[in-house]
Amino acid sequence: MYNIIQTILVIVSVLIIIAVMMQPSKQQDALNALSGGGGDLFSQQKKRGFESFMEKVTAILAAIFFICALALVYLSSH
């Protein structure tokens, strides 16, 4: 059981890396962080489409990662 969860953890880790790399870049946000971003204050829009989907996928993979990590800790202590 320990080896199965460890394998799942490695696979999920790789998938998290891929999901983060596939997310759209936010270069404008980085520029606003350096310049103060006053012009972007009232133009916040709801994320849609691919960006929203990738955010959800990343959150789900992160939850699976933490559950597997906690399961490994539990199994290794018992």
Side-chain angles (χ1 to χ4, degrees):
M1 185 68 168
Y2 185 84
N3 291 332
I4 293 171
I5 295 175
Q6 193 172 19
T7 304
I8 292 170
L9 187 70
V10 170
I11 292 170
V12 169
S13 300
V14 172
L15 290 176
I16 287 174
I17 292 170
I18 292 170
V20 168
M21 296 295 287
M22 287 180 62
Q23 289 183 1
S25 67
K26 298 181 180 178
Q27 292 178 349
Q28 187 63 30
D29 290 341
L31 289 174
N32 285 342
L34 294 175
S35 65
D40 198 34
L41 183 61
F42 297 107
S43 65
Q44 295 292 328
Q45 293 181 350
K46 188 175 182 180
K47 297 177 183 176
R48 297 178 188 212
F50 184 70
E51 186 176 350
S52 174
F53 173 73
M54 288 308 297
E55 189 174 294
K56 290 176 186 174
V57 167
T58 306
I60 291 170
L61 287 172
I64 294 171
F65 178 85
F66 283 115
I67 290 169
C68 288
L70 291 174
L72 281 177
V73 169
Y74 178 76
L75 288 175
S76 67
S77 68
H78 285 85

